[in-house]
């Protein structure tokens, strides 16, 4: 019975560990688009990839537009019926209805117009007028550009020279898109993102079909186009005031600060920072993830995430002396995010999601690492006691700051930044122990001093009592006795002392 209970207890512990491990483990199939297209999904797109999300978004948008239109028609019809009942002539009713039909047609035409209209040839006068106006530089584009914007513009022009005639067309399309975006500042950030994604798609299609550019050159051209456009649009579309991105940033930052006590052992991170090479890799990974906020181009931000992830894989490989797996990567990425607490994390993720070239997020290592980062942030937001293999009481005490696991275990003083900080923690721990020993020694010395004083006083009192009870009688000194062989007149009859005798032979 005892053996059965022991095996049951061990199996139960293993099951608990497995279930808790699932809090960090993410199956690779969960990173893909839930529609099954084979591309990487994204929590910001509700698990869809960029392509499928846009399809779902357009369906939902068209459905909403249709419902709003039907509601408007119904309300207008009721208004017309009420108006017709109050009028006596039928002519006035037909005139009003015809005006309503004309107004409805104009409103519908205005709503369905998108940014694609600016990039397709048209013989209509309105489109030509818009193109002519777009050729005239707007005041916002002619503003004093920053040094980085000037540098990127020069690099973009030099790059397009290698494409000759297609390069000129690409530059015109980019200038037209920038002018269009400057006139659409009142649109929501989702609509601006849709315009940017439409522009990426249209230019990529033209590069492949109309200008017959090879696929490898298409990707380079799209990277340069994204760099040129988003460098100029960064200040308008990154963390705009119309969104709650800043509020989410503060919430995530506060959440990460509250989780400062989480140790690598709790997350099952297979990284040993005692190894100098591993510690350097961890520092580089943290630096890369923090540096992401300083970049303007979505592709450059993705590059920072990719470099951070590669440093993580190298750290795991050095620690385990074998290639890292995906199950090892995600917990370590979570640990790096908790240690680094990157600034404006949610704003950067949203910015990449909205304005990055969709082909980079759907496939490739950039898309894989970005999807894992989104999963890591989602895990941090939902992290609980079970995910860290802790009891709810300990988790609550750690979160409220009542205690810390680093104070309970001496080996939990892990480095927060570098070896110097780690050594500082060890020195503080050593000083604390020395202080406790010193206090203990001082207390013992004071106790010993008190014991010695009490013992001396006790002995003195006992001696005094004995002296009082048995007083000493000091007798006078007696006359000294004469030596035996000294001359004594009174004993002159004694025989002389014996003398030594010497015998011959």
């Amino acid at each position: 019975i005892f053996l059965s209970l022991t095996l049951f207890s061990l199996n139960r512990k293993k099951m608990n560990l497995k279930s808790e491990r699932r809090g960090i483990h993410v199956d690779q199939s969960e990173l893909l688009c839930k529609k099954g297209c084979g591309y990487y999904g994204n929590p910001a797109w509700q698990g869809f990839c960029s392509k499928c999300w846009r399809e779902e978004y357009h369906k939902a948008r068209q459905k909403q537009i249709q419902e709003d239109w039907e509601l408007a028609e119904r309300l207008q019809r009721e208004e017309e019926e009420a108006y017709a009942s109050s009028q006596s002539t039928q002519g006035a009713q037909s005139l009003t209805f015809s005006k309503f039909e004309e107004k409805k047609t104009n409103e519908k035409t205005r709503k369905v117009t998108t940014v694609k209209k600016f990039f397709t040839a048209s013989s209509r006068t309105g489109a030509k007028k818009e193109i002519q106006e777009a050729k005239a530089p707007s005041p916002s584009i002619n503003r004093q550009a920053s040094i980085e914007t000037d540098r990127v513009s020069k690099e973009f022009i030099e790059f397009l020279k290698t494409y000759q005639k297609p390069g000129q067309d690409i530059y015109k399309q980019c200038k037209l898109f920038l002018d269009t975006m400057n006139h659409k500042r009142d649109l929501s950030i989702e609509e601006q993102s849709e315009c940017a994604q439409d522009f990426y798609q249209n230019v990529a299609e033209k590069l492949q079909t109309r200008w017959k550019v090879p696929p490898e050159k298409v990707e380079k051209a799209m990277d340069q186009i994204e760099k040129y456009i988003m460098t100029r649009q960064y200040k308008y579309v990154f963390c705009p005031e119309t969104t709650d991105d800043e509020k989410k940033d503060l919430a995530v930052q506060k959440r990460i600060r509250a989780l400062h006590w989480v140790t690598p052992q709790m997350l099952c991170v297979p990284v040993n920072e005692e190894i100098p090479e591993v510690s350097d890799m961890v520092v580089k990974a943290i630096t890369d993830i923090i540096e992401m906020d300083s970049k303007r181009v979505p592709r450059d931000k993705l590059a920072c995430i990719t470099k951070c992830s590669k440093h993580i894989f190298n750290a795991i490989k050095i620690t385990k002396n074998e290639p890292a797996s995906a199950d090892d990567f995600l917990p370590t990425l979570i640990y790096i995010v908790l240690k680094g607490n990157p600034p404006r994390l949610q704003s950067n993720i949203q910015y990449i999601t909205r304005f990055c070239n969709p082909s980079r997020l759907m496939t490739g290592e950039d898309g894989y690492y970005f999807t894992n980062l989104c999963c890591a942030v989602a895990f941090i937001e939902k992290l609980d006691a079970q995910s860290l293999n802790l009891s709810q009481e300990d988790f609550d005490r750690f979160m409220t700051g009542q205690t810390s696991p680093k104070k309970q275990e001496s080996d939990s003083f892990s480095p927060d930044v570098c070896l110097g900080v780690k050594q500082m923690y060890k020195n503080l721990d050593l000083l604390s122990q020395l202080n406790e020993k010193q206090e203990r020694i001082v207390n013992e010395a004071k106790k010993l001093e008190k014991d010695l004083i009490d013992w001396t006083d006790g002995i003195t009192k006992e001696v005094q009592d004995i002296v009082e009870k048995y007083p000493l009688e000091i007798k006078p000194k007696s006359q000294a006795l004469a030596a035996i062989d000294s001359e004594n007149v009174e004993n002159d009859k004694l025989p002389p002392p014996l003398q030594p005798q010497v015998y011959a032979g």
Side-chain angles (χ1 to χ4, degrees):
I1 295 175
F2 175 78
L3 180 60
S4 300
L5 292 174
T6 303
L7 292 175
F8 174 78
S9 178
L10 290 174
N11 291 332
R12 186 174 182 182
K13 289 182 179 179
K14 290 181 179 179
M15 292 176 63
N16 290 336
L17 289 176
K18 289 182 179 179
S19 61
E20 289 156 358
R21 178 68 177 176
R22 282 198 297 269
I24 301 178
H25 171 73
V26 174
D27 194 347
Q28 295 304 299
S29 61
E30 298 178 8
L31 301 178
L32 299 177
C33 176
K34 65 181 183 181
K35 202 171 183 180
C37 63
Y39 296 118
Y40 290 120
N42 193 321
W45 296 327
Q46 300 179 4
F48 293 102
C49 67
S50 174
K51 182 179 179 181
C52 297
W53 166 249
R54 292 188 66 199
E55 293 177 356
E56 295 294 328
Y57 177 75
H58 280 297
K59 289 180 181 178
R61 186 177 180 184
Q62 292 298 329
K63 182 179 179 181
Q64 184 65 36
I65 292 175
Q66 184 64 27
E67 291 178 354
D68 294 343
W69 186 253
E70 291 177 356
L71 177 62
E73 285 185 337
R74 183 171 60 83
L75 294 176
Q76 186 65 27
R77 200 163 42 246
E78 293 176 356
E79 183 180 353
E80 291 294 333
E81 291 176 356
Y83 179 77
S85 62
S86 62
Q87 298 294 328
S88 59
T89 61
Q90 187 68 22
Q93 180 181 3
S94 61
L95 180 60
T96 304
F97 184 76
S98 63
K99 287 184 178 180
F100 166 70
E101 288 293 332
E102 182 180 358
K103 181 179 179 182
K104 181 178 69 174
T105 304
N106 293 335
E107 182 68 17
K108 186 175 182 180
T109 304
R110 187 182 66 83
K111 285 188 175 182
V112 298
T113 302
T114 63
V115 75
K116 292 183 179 180
K117 158 185 171 181
F118 296 101
F119 307 116
T120 55
S122 176
S123 59
R124 290 177 297 180
T125 306
K128 289 183 180 180
K129 182 179 180 181
E130 290 177 354
I131 294 176
Q132 290 175 357
E133 291 178 353
K135 290 182 180 179
S138 64
S140 59
I141 295 181
N142 279 339
R143 68 185 184 278
Q144 185 64 29
S146 63
I147 298 176
E148 183 177 0
T149 303
D150 292 339
R151 179 180 57 81
V152 171
S153 300
K154 292 178 181 179
E155 292 178 357
F156 185 60
I157 293 174
E158 291 296 327
F159 172 79
L160 292 179
K161 288 181 180 179
T162 60
Y163 285 75
Q164 298 178 355
K165 182 61 171 65
Q168 298 177 4
D169 295 337
I170 292 174
Y171 185 73
K172 291 180 180 178
Q173 294 288 339
C174 292
K175 296 289 287 184
L176 180 60
F177 173 75
L178 289 174
D179 189 76
T180 303
M181 292 295 290
N182 288 330
H183 288 87
K184 293 183 177 294
R185 298 285 180 226
D186 55 338
L187 294 180
S188 65
I189 194 64
E190 287 77 14
E191 292 174 328
Q192 295 184 46
S193 171
E194 186 179 355
C195 292
Q197 299 297 328
D198 288 339
F199 174 72
Y200 289 146
Q201 183 177 357
N202 291 332
V203 174
E205 290 177 356
K206 289 182 179 180
L207 286 171
Q208 295 175 355
T209 57
R210 181 185 300 181
W211 298 318
K212 307 298 181 183
V213 178
E216 61 275 7
K217 284 192 173 184
V218 171
E219 185 175 355
K220 292 182 179 179
M222 293 305 300
D223 291 339
Q224 292 296 326
I225 291 171
E226 177 189 320
K227 183 177 181 180
Y228 173 70
I229 289 175
M230 298 316 303
T231 301
R232 304 180 71 93
Q233 294 292 316
Y234 176 79
K235 62 183 296 184
Y236 303 110
V237 297
F238 181 83
C239 192
E241 297 179 355
T242 57
T243 64
D244 59 348
D245 292 348
E246 185 176 2
K247 183 179 179 181
K248 293 180 179 178
D249 289 335
L250 295 176
V252 172
Q253 193 175 48
K254 184 178 179 182
R255 175 70 172 174
I256 293 177
R257 286 177 178 174
L259 295 170
H260 66 91
W261 48 268
V262 177
T263 61
Q265 293 77 16
M266 295 178 181
L267 296 171
C268 300
V269 175
V271 169
N272 183 11
E273 296 184 64
E274 298 289 339
I275 304 174
E277 295 180 1
V278 175
S279 179
D280 292 341
M281 291 295 175
V282 171
V283 172
K284 290 179 180 178
I286 294 175
T287 304
D288 290 331
I289 198 67
I290 293 176
E291 189 180 0
M292 174 180 62
D293 186 59
S294 64
K295 305 299 181 181
R296 287 191 173 190
V297 185
R299 176 173 171 267
D300 293 341
K301 292 181 181 292
L302 279 178
C304 292
I305 299 174
T306 301
K307 288 192 295 183
C308 170
S309 302
K310 289 184 177 180
H311 288 313
I312 291 174
F313 273 107
N314 290 334
I316 298 173
K317 182 178 179 181
I318 295 173
T319 302
K320 299 180 65 176
N321 199 18
E322 62 181 14
S325 63
D327 291 340
D328 297 331
F329 170 68
L330 184 58
T332 311
L333 179 61
I334 295 172
Y335 176 64
I336 293 297
V337 174
L338 289 176
K339 287 192 68 174
N341 196 359
R344 300 191 292 185
L345 183 56
Q346 282 288 2
S347 293
N348 283 286
I349 290 177
Q350 292 295 333
Y351 176 69
I352 295 172
T353 302
R354 292 164 181 161
F355 297 101
C356 183
N357 186 1
S359 61
R360 285 198 169 272
L361 299 182
M362 293 164 62
T363 57
E365 61 179 5
D366 289 341
Y368 173 76
Y369 294 138
F370 179 71
T371 304
N372 275 274
L373 177 62
C374 295
C375 293
V377 175
F379 175 83
I380 291 173
E381 292 175 344
K382 300 178 181 179
L383 189 142
D384 55 9
Q386 184 179 2
S387 303
L388 298 177
N389 194 19
L390 295 173
S391 64
Q392 189 63 40
E393 296 180 357
D394 291 340
F395 182 81
D396 294 337
R397 285 191 291 111
F398 294 156
M399 289 295 291
T400 55
Q402 297 178 1
T403 184
S404 173
K406 294 182 179 181
K407 295 181 180 179
Q408 295 178 355
E409 302 176 3
S410 60
D411 58 348
S412 296
F413 283 94
S414 58
D416 288 340
V417 177
C418 60
L419 291 176
V421 176
K422 175 184 175 181
Q423 187 64 37
M424 181 184 69
Y425 277 118
K426 290 184 177 180
N427 293 339
L428 289 174
D429 189 13
L430 182 60
L431 288 174
S432 177
Q433 295 177 8
L434 291 175
N435 188 28
E436 293 177 0
K437 290 182 180 179
Q438 183 181 7
E439 291 180 356
R440 188 164 57 251
I441 291 173
V442 170
N443 293 332
E444 293 292 336
K446 291 181 179 180
K447 183 180 179 182
L448 178 60
E449 182 182 9
K450 183 177 182 300
D451 292 342
L452 288 173
I453 294 175
D454 294 342
W455 179 78
T456 303
D457 294 341
I459 294 298
T460 303
K461 185 178 181 182
E462 289 181 3
V463 171
Q464 289 178 354
D465 293 341
I466 293 174
V467 169
E468 291 176 358
K469 186 175 182 181
Y470 304 101
L472 294 176
E473 294 181 2
I474 301 176
K475 296 181 180 181
K477 185 177 180 180
S478 61
Q479 187 177 0
L481 297 177
I484 295 178
D485 53 352
S486 64
E487 295 182 358
N488 192 346
V489 180
E490 297 178 358
N491 298 328
D492 56 350
K493 293 181 179 181
L494 292 175
L498 296 176
Q499 297 293 330
Q501 295 181 6
V502 180
Y503 294 91

PDB file of all heavy atoms in Angstrom, residues 23 255 261 379-380 382-390 392 395:
ATOM      1  N   GLY A  23       1.763  25.958 -19.260  1.00  0.00           N
ATOM      2  CA  GLY A  23       1.530  27.390 -19.184  1.00  0.00           C
ATOM      3  C   GLY A  23       2.550  28.192 -19.949  1.00  0.00           C
ATOM      4  O   GLY A  23       2.286  29.293 -20.384  1.00  0.00           O
ATOM      5  N   ARG A 255       3.126  45.768 -15.089  1.00  0.00           N
ATOM      6  CA  ARG A 255       3.027  44.322 -14.866  1.00  0.00           C
ATOM      7  C   ARG A 255       4.419  43.691 -14.764  1.00  0.00           C
ATOM      8  O   ARG A 255       4.672  42.866 -13.885  1.00  0.00           O
ATOM      9  CB  ARG A 255       2.246  43.689 -16.017  1.00  0.00           C
ATOM     10  CG  ARG A 255       2.155  42.174 -15.992  1.00  0.00           C
ATOM     11  CD  ARG A 255       1.278  41.689 -14.862  1.00  0.00           C
ATOM     12  NE  ARG A 255       1.051  40.263 -14.957  1.00  0.00           N
ATOM     13  CZ  ARG A 255       0.419  39.542 -14.043  1.00  0.00           C
ATOM     14  NH1 ARG A 255      -0.073  40.136 -12.961  1.00  0.00           N
ATOM     15  NH2 ARG A 255       0.252  38.257 -14.192  1.00  0.00           N
ATOM     16  N   TRP A 261      10.538  39.694  -9.306  1.00  0.00           N
ATOM     17  CA  TRP A 261      11.047  38.634  -8.449  1.00  0.00           C
ATOM     18  C   TRP A 261      11.116  37.286  -9.160  1.00  0.00           C
ATOM     19  O   TRP A 261      11.646  36.312  -8.598  1.00  0.00           O
ATOM     20  CB  TRP A 261      10.134  38.497  -7.224  1.00  0.00           C
ATOM     21  CG  TRP A 261       8.671  38.453  -7.574  1.00  0.00           C
ATOM     22  CD1 TRP A 261       7.815  39.506  -7.651  1.00  0.00           C
ATOM     23  CD2 TRP A 261       7.902  37.301  -7.940  1.00  0.00           C
ATOM     24  NE1 TRP A 261       6.562  39.090  -8.027  1.00  0.00           N
ATOM     25  CE2 TRP A 261       6.584  37.738  -8.212  1.00  0.00           C
ATOM     26  CE3 TRP A 261       8.201  35.944  -8.065  1.00  0.00           C
ATOM     27  CZ2 TRP A 261       5.583  36.865  -8.596  1.00  0.00           C
ATOM     28  CZ3 TRP A 261       7.192  35.065  -8.445  1.00  0.00           C
ATOM     29  CH2 TRP A 261       5.901  35.529  -8.705  1.00  0.00           C
ATOM     30  N   PHE A 379       1.718  35.911 -22.580  1.00  0.00           N
ATOM     31  CA  PHE A 379       1.926  35.057 -21.407  1.00  0.00           C
ATOM     32  C   PHE A 379       2.197  35.885 -20.161  1.00  0.00           C
ATOM     33  O   PHE A 379       1.684  35.589 -19.077  1.00  0.00           O
ATOM     34  CB  PHE A 379       3.095  34.109 -21.680  1.00  0.00           C
ATOM     35  CG  PHE A 379       3.475  33.267 -20.493  1.00  0.00           C
ATOM     36  CD1 PHE A 379       2.788  32.107 -20.196  1.00  0.00           C
ATOM     37  CD2 PHE A 379       4.512  33.646 -19.658  1.00  0.00           C
ATOM     38  CE1 PHE A 379       3.123  31.339 -19.100  1.00  0.00           C
ATOM     39  CE2 PHE A 379       4.865  32.889 -18.552  1.00  0.00           C
ATOM     40  CZ  PHE A 379       4.164  31.723 -18.282  1.00  0.00           C
ATOM     41  N   ILE A 380       2.999  36.950 -20.300  1.00  0.00           N
ATOM     42  CA  ILE A 380       3.312  37.805 -19.151  1.00  0.00           C
ATOM     43  C   ILE A 380       2.048  38.474 -18.624  1.00  0.00           C
ATOM     44  O   ILE A 380       1.852  38.609 -17.413  1.00  0.00           O
ATOM     45  CB  ILE A 380       4.369  38.851 -19.547  1.00  0.00           C
ATOM     46  CG1 ILE A 380       5.713  38.164 -19.800  1.00  0.00           C
ATOM     47  CG2 ILE A 380       4.520  39.921 -18.485  1.00  0.00           C
ATOM     48  CD1 ILE A 380       6.772  39.088 -20.365  1.00  0.00           C
ATOM     49  N   LYS A 382      -0.900  37.263 -18.632  1.00  0.00           N
ATOM     50  CA  LYS A 382      -1.782  36.278 -18.006  1.00  0.00           C
ATOM     51  C   LYS A 382      -1.045  35.375 -17.029  1.00  0.00           C
ATOM     52  O   LYS A 382      -1.587  34.348 -16.607  1.00  0.00           O
ATOM     53  CB  LYS A 382      -2.454  35.416 -19.085  1.00  0.00           C
ATOM     54  CG  LYS A 382      -3.308  36.218 -20.058  1.00  0.00           C
ATOM     55  CD  LYS A 382      -3.905  35.319 -21.119  1.00  0.00           C
ATOM     56  CE  LYS A 382      -4.746  36.113 -22.115  1.00  0.00           C
ATOM     57  NZ  LYS A 382      -5.315  35.244 -23.176  1.00  0.00           N
ATOM     58  N   LEU A 383       0.186  35.710 -16.658  1.00  0.00           N
ATOM     59  CA  LEU A 383       0.998  34.856 -15.803  1.00  0.00           C
ATOM     60  C   LEU A 383       0.354  34.704 -14.432  1.00  0.00           C
ATOM     61  O   LEU A 383      -0.101  35.680 -13.835  1.00  0.00           O
ATOM     62  CB  LEU A 383       2.395  35.455 -15.682  1.00  0.00           C
ATOM     63  CG  LEU A 383       3.460  34.616 -15.001  1.00  0.00           C
ATOM     64  CD1 LEU A 383       4.794  34.804 -15.700  1.00  0.00           C
ATOM     65  CD2 LEU A 383       3.603  35.012 -13.538  1.00  0.00           C
ATOM     66  N   ASP A 384       0.301  33.468 -13.929  1.00  0.00           N
ATOM     67  CA  ASP A 384      -0.312  33.198 -12.633  1.00  0.00           C
ATOM     68  C   ASP A 384       0.563  32.239 -11.839  1.00  0.00           C
ATOM     69  O   ASP A 384       1.668  31.872 -12.256  1.00  0.00           O
ATOM     70  CB  ASP A 384      -1.724  32.629 -12.808  1.00  0.00           C
ATOM     71  CG  ASP A 384      -1.746  31.391 -13.701  1.00  0.00           C
ATOM     72  OD1 ASP A 384      -0.657  30.891 -14.041  1.00  0.00           O
ATOM     73  OD2 ASP A 384      -2.846  30.926 -14.048  1.00  0.00           O
ATOM     74  N   ALA A 385       0.073  31.829 -10.668  1.00  0.00           N
ATOM     75  CA  ALA A 385       0.851  30.969  -9.776  1.00  0.00           C
ATOM     76  C   ALA A 385       1.114  29.605 -10.397  1.00  0.00           C
ATOM     77  O   ALA A 385       2.206  29.044 -10.251  1.00  0.00           O
ATOM     78  CB  ALA A 385       0.116  30.819  -8.443  1.00  0.00           C
ATOM     79  N   GLN A 386       0.129  29.045 -11.084  1.00  0.00           N
ATOM     80  CA  GLN A 386       0.294  27.717 -11.675  1.00  0.00           C
ATOM     81  C   GLN A 386       1.369  27.726 -12.754  1.00  0.00           C
ATOM     82  O   GLN A 386       2.125  26.758 -12.895  1.00  0.00           O
ATOM     83  CB  GLN A 386      -1.035  27.246 -12.270  1.00  0.00           C
ATOM     84  CG  GLN A 386      -0.983  25.830 -12.827  1.00  0.00           C
ATOM     85  CD  GLN A 386      -2.318  25.381 -13.388  1.00  0.00           C
ATOM     86  OE1 GLN A 386      -3.269  26.146 -13.383  1.00  0.00           O
ATOM     87  NE2 GLN A 386      -2.380  24.161 -13.863  1.00  0.00           N
ATOM     88  N   SER A 387       1.478  28.798 -13.504  1.00  0.00           N
ATOM     89  CA  SER A 387       2.485  28.867 -14.557  1.00  0.00           C
ATOM     90  C   SER A 387       3.894  28.852 -13.999  1.00  0.00           C
ATOM     91  O   SER A 387       4.827  28.409 -14.678  1.00  0.00           O
ATOM     92  CB  SER A 387       2.277  30.138 -15.395  1.00  0.00           C
ATOM     93  OG  SER A 387       0.979  30.178 -15.950  1.00  0.00           O
ATOM     94  N   LEU A 388       4.069  29.323 -12.764  1.00  0.00           N
ATOM     95  CA  LEU A 388       5.393  29.387 -12.139  1.00  0.00           C
ATOM     96  C   LEU A 388       5.611  28.270 -11.124  1.00  0.00           C
ATOM     97  O   LEU A 388       6.616  28.283 -10.404  1.00  0.00           O
ATOM     98  CB  LEU A 388       5.570  30.746 -11.446  1.00  0.00           C
ATOM     99  CG  LEU A 388       5.513  31.975 -12.356  1.00  0.00           C
ATOM    100  CD1 LEU A 388       5.621  33.249 -11.531  1.00  0.00           C
ATOM    101  CD2 LEU A 388       6.613  31.920 -13.402  1.00  0.00           C
ATOM    102  N   ASN A 389       4.680  27.326 -11.062  1.00  0.00           N
ATOM    103  CA  ASN A 389       4.795  26.203 -10.119  1.00  0.00           C
ATOM    104  C   ASN A 389       4.873  26.710  -8.678  1.00  0.00           C
ATOM    105  O   ASN A 389       5.686  26.262  -7.873  1.00  0.00           O
ATOM    106  CB  ASN A 389       6.025  25.346 -10.450  1.00  0.00           C
ATOM    107  CG  ASN A 389       6.000  24.000  -9.736  1.00  0.00           C
ATOM    108  OD1 ASN A 389       4.948  23.545  -9.286  1.00  0.00           O
ATOM    109  ND2 ASN A 389       7.157  23.371  -9.626  1.00  0.00           N
ATOM    110  N   LEU A 390       4.000  27.670  -8.343  1.00  0.00           N
ATOM    111  CA  LEU A 390       3.949  28.237  -6.997  1.00  0.00           C
ATOM    112  C   LEU A 390       2.540  28.082  -6.428  1.00  0.00           C
ATOM    113  O   LEU A 390       1.567  27.939  -7.180  1.00  0.00           O
ATOM    114  CB  LEU A 390       4.313  29.728  -7.019  1.00  0.00           C
ATOM    115  CG  LEU A 390       5.735  30.110  -7.429  1.00  0.00           C
ATOM    116  CD1 LEU A 390       5.846  31.623  -7.549  1.00  0.00           C
ATOM    117  CD2 LEU A 390       6.746  29.598  -6.415  1.00  0.00           C
ATOM    118  N   GLN A 392      -0.728  29.690  -4.532  1.00  0.00           N
ATOM    119  CA  GLN A 392      -1.370  30.988  -4.685  1.00  0.00           C
ATOM    120  C   GLN A 392      -0.954  31.935  -3.571  1.00  0.00           C
ATOM    121  O   GLN A 392      -0.818  33.156  -3.796  1.00  0.00           O
ATOM    122  CB  GLN A 392      -2.900  30.811  -4.701  1.00  0.00           C
ATOM    123  CG  GLN A 392      -3.654  32.059  -5.078  1.00  0.00           C
ATOM    124  CD  GLN A 392      -3.341  32.536  -6.490  1.00  0.00           C
ATOM    125  OE1 GLN A 392      -3.218  31.725  -7.407  1.00  0.00           O
ATOM    126  NE2 GLN A 392      -3.219  33.840  -6.687  1.00  0.00           N
ATOM    127  N   PHE A 395       2.519  33.251  -4.415  1.00  0.00           N
ATOM    128  CA  PHE A 395       2.412  34.164  -5.565  1.00  0.00           C
ATOM    129  C   PHE A 395       1.870  35.525  -5.125  1.00  0.00           C
ATOM    130  O   PHE A 395       2.394  36.574  -5.537  1.00  0.00           O
ATOM    131  CB  PHE A 395       1.508  33.547  -6.628  1.00  0.00           C
ATOM    132  CG  PHE A 395       1.373  34.378  -7.875  1.00  0.00           C
ATOM    133  CD1 PHE A 395       2.349  34.362  -8.861  1.00  0.00           C
ATOM    134  CD2 PHE A 395       0.256  35.184  -8.068  1.00  0.00           C
ATOM    135  CE1 PHE A 395       2.228  35.129 -10.005  1.00  0.00           C
ATOM    136  CE2 PHE A 395       0.126  35.957  -9.200  1.00  0.00           C
ATOM    137  CZ  PHE A 395       1.114  35.924 -10.177  1.00  0.00           C
TER     138      PHE A 395
END
